[in-house]
């Protein structure tokens, strides 16, 4: 019988504090792309230019996060018709 008060086991990997920070930065930066669905689609879909899923790359290393932030800035520029877009650091604030 299931105990409704029993803690559920966490599914998926547990992130280190640094990985969690990079994940948060990537999500905040991606919010510049639009609504929740646009952010999810961008972060969870494989990107040929990045060589993988942006969220995985951002979590894996600082260099991966920088590449994802640069791609977000480029994507935002493409969506704005080539208008100048803010830097990756501005997006992650």
């Amino acid at each position: 019988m299931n105990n409704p008060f029993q803690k559920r086991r966490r599914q998926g990997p547990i992130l280190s504090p640094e990985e969690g920070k990079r994940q948060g930065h990537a999500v905040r930066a991606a919010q510049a792309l639009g609504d929740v669905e646009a952010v999810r689609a961008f972060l969870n879909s494989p990107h040929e230019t990045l060589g993988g899923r942006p969220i995985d790359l951002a979590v894996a290393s600082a260099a991966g996060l920088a590449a994802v932030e640069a791609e977000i800035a480029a994507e935002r520029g493409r969506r704005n018709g080539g208008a100048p877009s803010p830097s990756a650091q501005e997006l992650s604030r």
Side-chain angles (χ1 to χ4, degrees):
M1 179 182 219
N2 289 338
N3 180 352
F5 300 105
Q6 184 178 6
K7 276 187 158 181
R8 286 190 278 170
R9 291 186 182 179
R10 181 175 177 88
Q11 293 180 344
I14 296 175
L15 301 178
S16 73
E18 285 303 310
E19 290 170 331
K21 286 179 186 177
R22 287 193 298 269
Q23 181 184 47
H25 282 286
V27 170
R28 283 189 298 278
Q31 288 174 344
L33 299 176
D35 65 4
V36 172
E37 291 305 315
V39 171
R40 283 183 186 152
F42 175 83
L43 291 174
N44 292 303
S45 299
H47 286 261
E48 191 173 309
T49 56
L50 292 171
R53 289 185 342 146
I55 195 66
D56 295 335
L57 299 169
V59 168
S61 69
L65 174 60
V68 169
E69 289 175 330
E71 182 61 22
I72 290 168
E75 179 69 22
R76 190 161 182 232
R78 287 189 290 270
R79 291 181 183 191
N80 290 335
S85 60
S87 70
Q89 285 185 337
E90 290 173 345
L91 290 174
S92 66
R93 289 186 188 151

